[in-house]
Structure formats: structure tokens, C-alpha cells
Amino acid sequence: MCDGKKITALSRPVKCMLKYKKIIMLKHTFTILPGVGTRFERHLWREGVFTWEDFLTRIHIPGVSQSRKNIFDREITKALHALEKGDIDYFSIRLHHNEYWRLFDAFHKDAVCLDIETMGGPAGYGEVTIVGMYGRDQMHTLIKDINLDSGTLKDILFQYKLIITYYGRVFDIPFLHKSISGLKVDMPNYDLCFAARRLNIKGGLKKLEAYFGMRREDSITGMDGYDAVKLWGKYIEGDEDALKILLKYNEADTKNLYQLAEVLSMMLSREYGPENINR
DNA sequence: CATGTTGAGGACTAATGTTG
DNA sequence: CAACATTAGTCCTCAACATG
């Protein structure tokens, strides 16, 4: 698979690099300003305006009139406050959802990885059997007919602000909406599947794990989602060990999302952030 | 298997903003 | 002021694709 798009050489002096090395991607993001798209954002970076602070510090910026500068200064000040308060909504309503990866390094402490298992069938038809959630170094597992219900799910999920999934925008989230009544997940969803595709890395979760050299425990290597369906069937017929394996599988899936989120957001900021100004 | 979403592409429009 | 650049929004197609 995946000859990833080659990471182009750094187009700015190294000293500039060092400057924004430790700065979170969100502070490089100007598309939160009204009327600013990715093109104009690039223009700002090219002008040496790399961060919100840069923007506020500069008296004059080419392409930004004084009156608009004043408006943007106020907006950026608001953004800084929102970031300080941890108000993710301020940003998620101003960002396109394919740019939610930019939220990760700012909000990784409030991020939760989510992965579900079902009884099979296409999205929305079967039932959810397992919901795994992993955030703040904690694993939560909800099991059908034991502790999986709308209330418990909400209690856990809504402690967090950002959801990380693999293909969840298509599968997990719609599936939960259809099968858990009264559930509405409206938190921003950083979907790693599409993040990877944007980097020209294609394949399922397991393929990505292999690509990045992530290992799984022997007992669950080679398993896929369909195996998970079969394991649930065995468990229903009384095989308790089947459930144990299923839980282990789900936990591995869920936890690995976090590492993947880290590496992918790093690669995306290399590719689409101010480090790579050309193109 | 069914499903729905994506990015990338293009092609418009209307509006807004900047510049000399 | 005219010329230019950019954005947001709409529409459209397209094939590719990963989920359990």
C-alpha cells in the first residue's frame, strides 16, 4: 500500500522551524476568521505570520487593511480566551470537519477514542454489542445486556470533548445514533480514516497499525471485525472465553486509535501546516 | 454483503476586501 | 475608481473505500 505523499523539504530557515516547533497547530490556524480560507491562511504564513500572537504583534500585514486587522485582532483575542477556557465548540463551529485534526494537540487531554462492535449486518441494522472508549489513560467498556445503555454511554462520552474514531463518521457514530435511542453525539469527530487517506495512506485500521509498526498481542492478531461478530455469537451460546477475547480485541482497537491520532496529526501538520508553505 | 462519506475536481455565483 | 484576488456557497461528478 501507501507510498505516503513525500514530505517536501522545509521551505523556511531552520530558525523559523524552531520557533513553531512546539506551538500547537490550532494557533497556526487562521481559517477560524470570517472570510479566511486555506488560501489566505497560506498567504499569512508566507508573510511570516505564523501564529495568532504574530498576527496581534504585527502592526501592518500585507493584504489585511487596517479596519479588517482590527476585526481580526478582536477575533483572535476571543480565540485565545476560548483556548484558555478549553471551549472546543468555539473552534469546531468555525472549522471544516476535515480540519478537526487541528484540534488534537490542543485538546488531546479531552479526547476519547471510540470503537464499537456489532452483531453484524450493514450500518443501522444489527445491534451494538460492545462500546469501547479510551481517554485520559482510562479504558471504558460497555457490554450489551450488562452495562450498555444510553445513560451510561452519555455519562462517559460527555466527559470528553473530542472523539477519535476510525471510519466512525460513516460507521460507528451513525450506528450508535440508530441503535441507542435518545443519543445524540454532536462533539467534533476526528476521523483517522480520512486523515490517513489525505496523506495517501489507505487501508483499514489493522493495515495502518502494521504500517506504523504497532504490534498486537498474539491472541488477537489477525482478527477482524467479522471475527468479532462471530465471537459474540459464541458468547451468547455460553462461551465466556469468547467474550474475553472479544473485549481484548476491542480494547486493542480502541487504544491504538490514540497513538494513530498522534502520529497522523503530526504528519498532517507537517504537510498542511506552516512548515510546508509551498504548494 | 449495504451503506454513506470522502477528497479532488470543476464550474458557477454573489459578495467582500485590497490595492494603486 | 477599476482591476484583481479570494471566499463561501451551491451544484455537479467520480471512483474509492472501510465498517462488523
Side-chain angles (χ1 to χ4, degrees):
Chain A
M1 67 172 185
C2 53
D3 40 303
K5 224 180 257 175
K6 59 169 177 277
I7 309 298
T8 51
L10 302 173
S11 53
R12 281 269 156 170
V14 177
K15 55 180 179 177
C16 286
M17 265 295 309
L18 292 173
K19 187 179 167 194
Y20 44 67
K21 187 129 200 182
K22 48 193 173 293
I23 294 174
I24 57 173
M25 187 59 207
L26 201 52
K27 285 194 175 187
H28 296 306
T29 299
F30 292 101
T31 52
I32 55 166
L33 299 171
V36 175
T38 53
R39 238 191 134 105
F40 194 71
E41 181 181 61
R42 271 192 176 246
H43 160 77
L44 290 174
W45 292 342
R46 232 171 265 152
E47 289 294 332
V49 181
F50 295 118
T51 66
W52 296 342
E53 283 87 352
D54 290 342
F55 193 98
L56 294 176
T57 308
R58 289 272 286 267
I59 308 149
H60 176 70
I61 296 165
V64 186
S65 67
Q66 210 45 245
S67 63
R68 205 151 68 123
K69 175 84 165 65
N70 294 337
I71 295 167
F72 285 177
D73 280 350
R74 279 199 298 275
E75 285 295 319
I76 288 172
T77 309
K78 272 196 264 175
L80 281 164
H81 286 137
L83 180 58
E84 207 176 320
K85 279 192 312 200
D87 176 11
I88 202 169
D89 294 335
Y90 183 88
F91 302 103
S92 56
I93 59 175
R94 287 169 171 78
L95 247 31
H96 282 281
H97 51 70
N98 59 325
E99 297 290 339
Y100 280 170
W101 62 272
R102 299 192 190 210
L103 297 168
F104 179 73
D105 49 7
F107 289 96
H108 69 102
K109 290 197 186 77
D110 298 311
V112 63
C113 304
L114 178 130
D115 184 54
I116 67 170
E117 315 299 330
T118 76
M119 305 217 299
Y125 284 92
E127 275 182 80
V128 181
T129 55
I130 311 285
V131 178
M133 286 170 281
Y134 175 70
R136 300 190 188 115
D137 294 317
Q138 236 190 316
M139 183 71 207
H140 311 269
T141 307
L142 303 185
I143 306 166
K144 175 175 154 60
D145 296 331
I146 297 178
N147 59 349
L148 173 56
D149 61 78
S150 171
T152 315
L153 182 54
K154 282 183 193 169
D155 282 348
I156 297 166
L157 201 55
F158 294 169
Q159 291 170 19
Y160 301 95
K161 296 177 181 173
L162 176 66
I163 301 187
I164 297 166
T165 62
Y166 200 86
Y167 211 49
R169 202 166 281 154
V170 184
F171 188 79
D172 301 61
I173 304 296
F175 209 117
L176 284 174
H177 280 157
K178 278 196 178 170
S179 52
I180 312 250
S181 63
L183 180 71
K184 176 134 179 54
V185 182
D186 47 13
M187 307 146 75
N189 177 198
Y190 169 23
D191 193 322
L192 304 180
C193 177
F194 300 111
R197 276 195 209 170
R198 202 162 164 192
L199 293 163
N200 229 0
I201 305 170
K202 296 165 204 162
L205 179 60
K206 315 295 178 288
K207 235 172 162 181
L208 277 223
E209 287 175 10
Y211 178 67
F212 289 112
M214 295 158 66
R215 305 278 307 161
R216 286 189 172 229
E217 207 180 299
D218 289 346
S219 62
I220 52 167
T221 39
M223 270 186 68
D224 63 17
Y226 191 50
D227 293 319
V229 176
K230 288 184 279 192
L231 278 174
W232 180 262
K234 278 171 132 181
Y235 160 67
I236 290 301
E237 283 160 24
D239 184 349
E240 287 288 333
D241 286 342
L243 180 64
K244 281 194 190 129
I245 298 170
L246 179 56
L247 293 182
K248 200 186 263 187
Y249 168 78
N250 174 261
E251 183 165 338
D253 266 12
T254 310
K255 284 184 173 174
N256 282 344
L257 291 179
Y258 194 85
Q259 287 184 68
L260 232 36
E262 280 182 315
V263 60
L264 287 174
S265 60
M266 212 189 65
M267 289 173 74
L268 283 165
S269 55
R270 278 266 161 103
E271 189 64 18
Y272 295 101
E275 286 176 46
N276 198 353
I277 282 167
N278 302 324
R279 203 202 27 187

